[in-house]
Amino acid sequence: MLAERVVQPATPRVPSPLLARALPRMPSLARALALGPALSLPPPLSLPTRLSLPTRLSLAVTLVLSGLVPAILGWPVPASAAAPDVIVYGDPTLRHALLDVAARFTAQTGVPVHVFAAPPTLILAQLRHQVWNDVVVTETSWMDQAEQAAVIEPGTRTGAWRNTLVLARAPGAEATGAAGATETLAITDPTPAATIDGPAVLAALGLHPAHVQGAANTAEVAFLLNTGVAGQGLVHLTDVRADPKLSVAAPVAPTAYAPIVYAAAISTVTHSPNAHAFLDYLHSPAAAEVLRADGLETVP
């Protein structure tokens, strides 16, 4: 039984995102406080080179109240202190689906799951900088890079789940199929912030709309649709399922883009004894039902 495999939290304690990011850096913070006004911290926790005494005292009090007295006093701190809560990072378009699965997992086990979304480039950078992260869910090409960088635990990679592209319709727009001659079509620009090369997809489809609006990512495409700037937009099916105001105007032919497949794995900086239980739960029939409703198909 799943409930027998998880480690229950002793008390309802939800670590903040700031605390989750700061934990791996605590020895550096403790040394900085001990050294006095001259601070030299590794990125991304860069601080002004000099802090006033009141500021240093305030920072020290914050660390004490956060339960980090051992780090301040220089006591040994385990490199991977266990925390029952599960921290999950996924691609932005997966956030809604992962939140739904996490809610089911928590309802069944009582273990809190905290879902954060970030572009794959940032997820990989966070893992390389040892930011607390238990479970990673991202596109397979980025998971390949994570494996090569040795930032996920060997043998934990699992999956996969397939997403599709669609043309989404703005609220109140008529069902016209592909973007009409007078409609503005929003697409993602080919940048590291986006996982869809919008112009390449349009070219593969043979579409040449008169008005095209570029966007940084599919979340911005959805914003352009919801604000009436664009009549249709190129997004993931998961983006449409996450936004009740949007609907599918037309599917995009699978031949117009490379398969969009995701994998999951345990990171090398995991702190939760329940990470493996959540990873296993992603393949349960209950999770598959939720993911399907949110736009993801489990790949056999």
mmCIF file of all heavy atoms in Angstrom, residues 109-140:
data_model
loop_
_atom_site.group_PDB
_atom_site.id
_atom_site.type_symbol
_atom_site.label_atom_id
_atom_site.label_comp_id
_atom_site.label_asym_id
_atom_site.label_seq_id
_atom_site.Cartn_x
_atom_site.Cartn_y
_atom_site.Cartn_z
ATOM 1 N N THR A 109 -2.012 10.132 1.014
ATOM 2 C CA THR A 109 -0.892 9.817 1.907
ATOM 3 C C THR A 109 -0.723 10.789 3.061
ATOM 4 O O THR A 109 -0.079 10.462 4.059
ATOM 5 C CB THR A 109 0.429 9.789 1.119
ATOM 6 O OG1 THR A 109 0.705 11.123 0.635
ATOM 7 C CG2 THR A 109 0.348 8.824 -0.055
ATOM 8 N N GLY A 110 -1.246 11.998 2.932
ATOM 9 C CA GLY A 110 -1.028 13.014 3.953
ATOM 10 C C GLY A 110 0.291 13.739 3.805
ATOM 11 O O GLY A 110 0.608 14.625 4.607
ATOM 12 N N VAL A 111 1.072 13.424 2.778
ATOM 13 C CA VAL A 111 2.382 14.047 2.571
ATOM 14 C C VAL A 111 2.228 15.281 1.680
ATOM 15 O O VAL A 111 1.750 15.166 0.544
ATOM 16 C CB VAL A 111 3.369 13.064 1.932
ATOM 17 C CG1 VAL A 111 4.689 13.762 1.582
ATOM 18 C CG2 VAL A 111 3.627 11.897 2.867
ATOM 19 N N PRO A 112 2.627 16.461 2.135
ATOM 20 C CA PRO A 112 2.528 17.658 1.300
ATOM 21 C C PRO A 112 3.490 17.589 0.110
ATOM 22 O O PRO A 112 4.614 17.108 0.230
ATOM 23 C CB PRO A 112 2.924 18.798 2.247
ATOM 24 C CG PRO A 112 2.780 18.230 3.625
ATOM 25 C CD PRO A 112 3.093 16.771 3.497
ATOM 26 N N VAL A 113 3.013 18.059 -1.028
ATOM 27 C CA VAL A 113 3.838 18.150 -2.233
ATOM 28 C C VAL A 113 3.785 19.592 -2.724
ATOM 29 O O VAL A 113 2.704 20.156 -2.885
ATOM 30 C CB VAL A 113 3.335 17.205 -3.336
ATOM 31 C CG1 VAL A 113 4.185 17.350 -4.594
ATOM 32 C CG2 VAL A 113 3.338 15.762 -2.862
ATOM 33 N N HIS A 114 4.953 20.181 -2.948
ATOM 34 C CA HIS A 114 5.044 21.571 -3.391
ATOM 35 C C HIS A 114 5.552 21.588 -4.826
ATOM 36 O O HIS A 114 6.659 21.138 -5.108
ATOM 37 C CB HIS A 114 5.966 22.367 -2.478
ATOM 38 C CG HIS A 114 5.647 22.178 -1.018
ATOM 39 N ND1 HIS A 114 4.564 22.774 -0.421
ATOM 40 C CD2 HIS A 114 6.241 21.420 -0.057
ATOM 41 C CE1 HIS A 114 4.517 22.418 0.865
ATOM 42 N NE2 HIS A 114 5.520 21.590 1.086
ATOM 43 N N VAL A 115 4.722 22.100 -5.736
ATOM 44 C CA VAL A 115 5.032 22.096 -7.162
ATOM 45 C C VAL A 115 5.496 23.479 -7.593
ATOM 46 O O VAL A 115 4.818 24.481 -7.341
ATOM 47 C CB VAL A 115 3.805 21.669 -7.988
ATOM 48 C CG1 VAL A 115 4.103 21.771 -9.483
ATOM 49 C CG2 VAL A 115 3.386 20.248 -7.618
ATOM 50 N N PHE A 116 6.647 23.512 -8.244
ATOM 51 C CA PHE A 116 7.190 24.749 -8.795
ATOM 52 C C PHE A 116 7.409 24.555 -10.290
ATOM 53 O O PHE A 116 7.739 23.450 -10.734
ATOM 54 C CB PHE A 116 8.510 25.128 -8.125
ATOM 55 C CG PHE A 116 8.393 25.327 -6.638
ATOM 56 C CD1 PHE A 116 8.635 24.281 -5.753
ATOM 57 C CD2 PHE A 116 8.033 26.558 -6.126
ATOM 58 C CE1 PHE A 116 8.522 24.458 -4.393
ATOM 59 C CE2 PHE A 116 7.909 26.746 -4.751
ATOM 60 C CZ PHE A 116 8.155 25.695 -3.883
ATOM 61 N N ALA A 117 7.233 25.622 -11.055
ATOM 62 C CA ALA A 117 7.410 25.552 -12.497
ATOM 63 C C ALA A 117 8.534 26.471 -12.936
ATOM 64 O O ALA A 117 8.680 27.584 -12.422
ATOM 65 C CB ALA A 117 6.111 25.942 -13.209
ATOM 66 N N ALA A 118 9.326 25.996 -13.896
ATOM 67 C CA ALA A 118 10.422 26.786 -14.440
ATOM 68 C C ALA A 118 10.785 26.227 -15.805
ATOM 69 O O ALA A 118 10.582 25.039 -16.069
ATOM 70 C CB ALA A 118 11.639 26.735 -13.512
ATOM 71 N N PRO A 119 11.317 27.065 -16.693
ATOM 72 C CA PRO A 119 11.771 26.548 -17.989
ATOM 73 C C PRO A 119 12.850 25.492 -17.785
ATOM 74 O O PRO A 119 13.587 25.533 -16.781
ATOM 75 C CB PRO A 119 12.335 27.801 -18.689
ATOM 76 C CG PRO A 119 11.692 28.957 -17.992
ATOM 77 C CD PRO A 119 11.486 28.525 -16.581
ATOM 78 N N PRO A 120 12.971 24.539 -18.693
ATOM 79 C CA PRO A 120 13.974 23.481 -18.527
ATOM 80 C C PRO A 120 15.390 24.001 -18.324
ATOM 81 O O PRO A 120 16.159 23.419 -17.565
ATOM 82 C CB PRO A 120 13.842 22.682 -19.828
ATOM 83 C CG PRO A 120 12.458 22.944 -20.309
ATOM 84 C CD PRO A 120 12.142 24.343 -19.894
ATOM 85 N N THR A 121 15.733 25.099 -18.998
ATOM 86 C CA THR A 121 17.080 25.662 -18.836
ATOM 87 C C THR A 121 17.332 26.045 -17.384
ATOM 88 O O THR A 121 18.417 25.808 -16.848
ATOM 89 C CB THR A 121 17.257 26.893 -19.732
ATOM 90 O OG1 THR A 121 16.158 27.792 -19.528
ATOM 91 C CG2 THR A 121 17.294 26.505 -21.190
ATOM 92 N N LEU A 122 16.312 26.630 -16.742
ATOM 93 C CA LEU A 122 16.464 27.058 -15.352
ATOM 94 C C LEU A 122 16.465 25.868 -14.408
ATOM 95 O O LEU A 122 17.212 25.841 -13.417
ATOM 96 C CB LEU A 122 15.341 28.033 -14.976
ATOM 97 C CG LEU A 122 15.384 28.609 -13.557
ATOM 98 C CD1 LEU A 122 16.723 29.282 -13.304
ATOM 99 C CD2 LEU A 122 14.246 29.590 -13.339
ATOM 100 N N ILE A 123 15.635 24.857 -14.687
ATOM 101 C CA ILE A 123 15.622 23.660 -13.844
ATOM 102 C C ILE A 123 17.001 23.012 -13.829
ATOM 103 O O ILE A 123 17.527 22.648 -12.772
ATOM 104 C CB ILE A 123 14.563 22.655 -14.344
ATOM 105 C CG1 ILE A 123 13.150 23.207 -14.144
ATOM 106 C CG2 ILE A 123 14.710 21.314 -13.610
ATOM 107 C CD1 ILE A 123 12.061 22.301 -14.684
ATOM 108 N N LEU A 124 17.608 22.883 -14.997
ATOM 109 C CA LEU A 124 18.928 22.267 -15.084
ATOM 110 C C LEU A 124 19.964 23.112 -14.346
ATOM 111 O O LEU A 124 20.832 22.575 -13.640
ATOM 112 C CB LEU A 124 19.326 22.091 -16.549
ATOM 113 C CG LEU A 124 20.577 21.256 -16.821
ATOM 114 C CD1 LEU A 124 20.431 19.855 -16.216
ATOM 115 C CD2 LEU A 124 20.824 21.162 -18.319
ATOM 116 N N ALA A 125 19.874 24.433 -14.474
ATOM 117 C CA ALA A 125 20.810 25.310 -13.772
ATOM 118 C C ALA A 125 20.651 25.184 -12.262
ATOM 119 O O ALA A 125 21.644 25.181 -11.517
ATOM 120 C CB ALA A 125 20.591 26.759 -14.211
ATOM 121 N N GLN A 126 19.405 25.082 -11.787
ATOM 122 C CA GLN A 126 19.165 24.927 -10.354
ATOM 123 C C GLN A 126 19.762 23.620 -9.835
ATOM 124 O O GLN A 126 20.359 23.584 -8.761
ATOM 125 C CB GLN A 126 17.663 24.972 -10.071
ATOM 126 C CG GLN A 126 17.040 26.345 -10.255
ATOM 127 C CD GLN A 126 15.538 26.322 -10.082
ATOM 128 O OE1 GLN A 126 14.884 25.334 -10.380
ATOM 129 N NE2 GLN A 126 14.980 27.414 -9.608
ATOM 130 N N LEU A 127 19.599 22.558 -10.598
ATOM 131 C CA LEU A 127 20.163 21.279 -10.171
ATOM 132 C C LEU A 127 21.682 21.351 -10.113
ATOM 133 O O LEU A 127 22.305 20.804 -9.199
ATOM 134 C CB LEU A 127 19.723 20.171 -11.134
ATOM 135 C CG LEU A 127 18.229 19.820 -11.122
ATOM 136 C CD1 LEU A 127 17.908 18.792 -12.198
ATOM 137 C CD2 LEU A 127 17.795 19.310 -9.760
ATOM 138 N N ARG A 128 22.285 22.024 -11.072
ATOM 139 C CA ARG A 128 23.740 22.157 -11.072
ATOM 140 C C ARG A 128 24.238 22.982 -9.895
ATOM 141 O O ARG A 128 25.357 22.807 -9.428
ATOM 142 C CB ARG A 128 24.207 22.779 -12.387
ATOM 143 C CG ARG A 128 24.171 21.800 -13.563
ATOM 144 C CD ARG A 128 24.434 22.487 -14.869
ATOM 145 N NE ARG A 128 24.633 21.528 -15.955
ATOM 146 C CZ ARG A 128 24.506 21.815 -17.244
ATOM 147 N NH1 ARG A 128 24.174 23.044 -17.603
ATOM 148 N NH2 ARG A 128 24.712 20.890 -18.159
ATOM 149 N N HIS A 129 23.384 23.915 -9.422
ATOM 150 C CA HIS A 129 23.739 24.733 -8.265
ATOM 151 C C HIS A 129 23.222 24.139 -6.957
ATOM 152 O O HIS A 129 23.220 24.790 -5.926
ATOM 153 C CB HIS A 129 23.197 26.157 -8.435
ATOM 154 C CG HIS A 129 23.967 26.988 -9.416
ATOM 155 N ND1 HIS A 129 23.796 26.881 -10.777
ATOM 156 C CD2 HIS A 129 24.937 27.922 -9.233
ATOM 157 C CE1 HIS A 129 24.600 27.726 -11.383
ATOM 158 N NE2 HIS A 129 25.309 28.356 -10.473
ATOM 159 N N GLN A 130 22.746 22.896 -7.020
ATOM 160 C CA GLN A 130 22.321 22.136 -5.850
ATOM 161 C C GLN A 130 21.176 22.794 -5.087
ATOM 162 O O GLN A 130 21.137 22.812 -3.861
ATOM 163 C CB GLN A 130 23.500 21.909 -4.902
ATOM 164 C CG GLN A 130 24.607 21.055 -5.531
ATOM 165 C CD GLN A 130 25.683 20.675 -4.537
ATOM 166 O OE1 GLN A 130 25.987 21.436 -3.629
ATOM 167 N NE2 GLN A 130 26.245 19.495 -4.701
ATOM 168 N N VAL A 131 20.231 23.344 -5.828
ATOM 169 C CA VAL A 131 19.000 23.858 -5.221
ATOM 170 C C VAL A 131 18.105 22.672 -4.874
ATOM 171 O O VAL A 131 17.943 21.744 -5.672
ATOM 172 C CB VAL A 131 18.275 24.812 -6.193
ATOM 173 C CG1 VAL A 131 16.930 25.238 -5.615
ATOM 174 C CG2 VAL A 131 19.148 26.025 -6.475
ATOM 175 N N TRP A 132 17.538 22.703 -3.669
ATOM 176 C CA TRP A 132 16.723 21.595 -3.188
ATOM 177 C C TRP A 132 15.625 21.261 -4.196
ATOM 178 O O TRP A 132 14.799 22.099 -4.560
ATOM 179 C CB TRP A 132 16.120 21.970 -1.838
ATOM 180 C CG TRP A 132 15.257 20.912 -1.216
ATOM 181 C CD1 TRP A 132 15.028 19.654 -1.670
ATOM 182 C CD2 TRP A 132 14.509 21.026 -0.004
ATOM 183 N NE1 TRP A 132 14.187 18.972 -0.827
ATOM 184 C CE2 TRP A 132 13.848 19.796 0.208
ATOM 185 C CE3 TRP A 132 14.343 22.049 0.924
ATOM 186 C CZ2 TRP A 132 13.024 19.570 1.303
ATOM 187 C CZ3 TRP A 132 13.518 21.827 2.017
ATOM 188 C CH2 TRP A 132 12.873 20.591 2.208
ATOM 189 N N ASN A 133 15.600 20.031 -4.636
ATOM 190 C CA ASN A 133 14.650 19.570 -5.630
ATOM 191 C C ASN A 133 14.572 18.056 -5.516
ATOM 192 O O ASN A 133 15.585 17.379 -5.661
ATOM 193 C CB ASN A 133 15.136 19.984 -7.024
ATOM 194 C CG ASN A 133 14.106 19.734 -8.094
ATOM 195 O OD1 ASN A 133 13.331 18.788 -8.010
ATOM 196 N ND2 ASN A 133 14.107 20.564 -9.117
ATOM 197 N N ASP A 134 13.396 17.538 -5.242
ATOM 198 C CA ASP A 134 13.262 16.092 -5.069
ATOM 199 C C ASP A 134 12.943 15.379 -6.379
ATOM 200 O O ASP A 134 13.608 14.416 -6.751
ATOM 201 C CB ASP A 134 12.170 15.786 -4.032
ATOM 202 C CG ASP A 134 12.523 16.311 -2.652
ATOM 203 O OD1 ASP A 134 13.637 16.033 -2.186
ATOM 204 O OD2 ASP A 134 11.681 17.001 -2.047
ATOM 205 N N VAL A 135 11.908 15.844 -7.067
ATOM 206 C CA VAL A 135 11.464 15.195 -8.298
ATOM 207 C C VAL A 135 11.472 16.215 -9.441
ATOM 208 O O VAL A 135 10.993 17.341 -9.278
ATOM 209 C CB VAL A 135 10.046 14.606 -8.144
ATOM 210 C CG1 VAL A 135 9.572 13.980 -9.455
ATOM 211 C CG2 VAL A 135 10.032 13.566 -7.024
ATOM 212 N N VAL A 136 12.020 15.809 -10.579
ATOM 213 C CA VAL A 136 12.086 16.655 -11.765
ATOM 214 C C VAL A 136 11.218 16.042 -12.853
ATOM 215 O O VAL A 136 11.284 14.831 -13.090
ATOM 216 C CB VAL A 136 13.532 16.773 -12.293
ATOM 217 C CG1 VAL A 136 13.592 17.734 -13.479
ATOM 218 C CG2 VAL A 136 14.470 17.216 -11.193
ATOM 219 N N VAL A 137 10.403 16.875 -13.498
ATOM 220 C CA VAL A 137 9.600 16.427 -14.636
ATOM 221 C C VAL A 137 9.829 17.422 -15.772
ATOM 222 O O VAL A 137 9.436 18.584 -15.669
ATOM 223 C CB VAL A 137 8.101 16.359 -14.297
ATOM 224 C CG1 VAL A 137 7.338 15.713 -15.450
ATOM 225 C CG2 VAL A 137 7.863 15.583 -13.006
ATOM 226 N N THR A 138 10.478 16.967 -16.830
ATOM 227 C CA THR A 138 10.801 17.856 -17.936
ATOM 228 C C THR A 138 10.889 17.065 -19.223
ATOM 229 O O THR A 138 10.784 15.829 -19.235
ATOM 230 C CB THR A 138 12.130 18.592 -17.661
ATOM 231 O OG1 THR A 138 12.333 19.599 -18.664
ATOM 232 C CG2 THR A 138 13.307 17.637 -17.672
ATOM 233 N N GLU A 139 11.073 17.771 -20.340
ATOM 234 C CA GLU A 139 11.152 17.098 -21.633
ATOM 235 C C GLU A 139 12.349 16.164 -21.668
ATOM 236 O O GLU A 139 13.379 16.404 -21.036
ATOM 237 C CB GLU A 139 11.239 18.125 -22.764
ATOM 238 C CG GLU A 139 9.930 18.837 -23.033
ATOM 239 C CD GLU A 139 9.949 19.585 -24.362
ATOM 240 O OE1 GLU A 139 10.532 19.057 -25.340
ATOM 241 O OE2 GLU A 139 9.387 20.692 -24.426
ATOM 242 N N THR A 140 12.201 15.099 -22.452
ATOM 243 C CA THR A 140 13.226 14.052 -22.461
ATOM 244 C C THR A 140 14.588 14.565 -22.918
ATOM 245 O O THR A 140 15.617 14.097 -22.429
ATOM 246 C CB THR A 140 12.789 12.888 -23.365
ATOM 247 O OG1 THR A 140 12.436 13.416 -24.665
ATOM 248 C CG2 THR A 140 11.594 12.172 -22.782
#
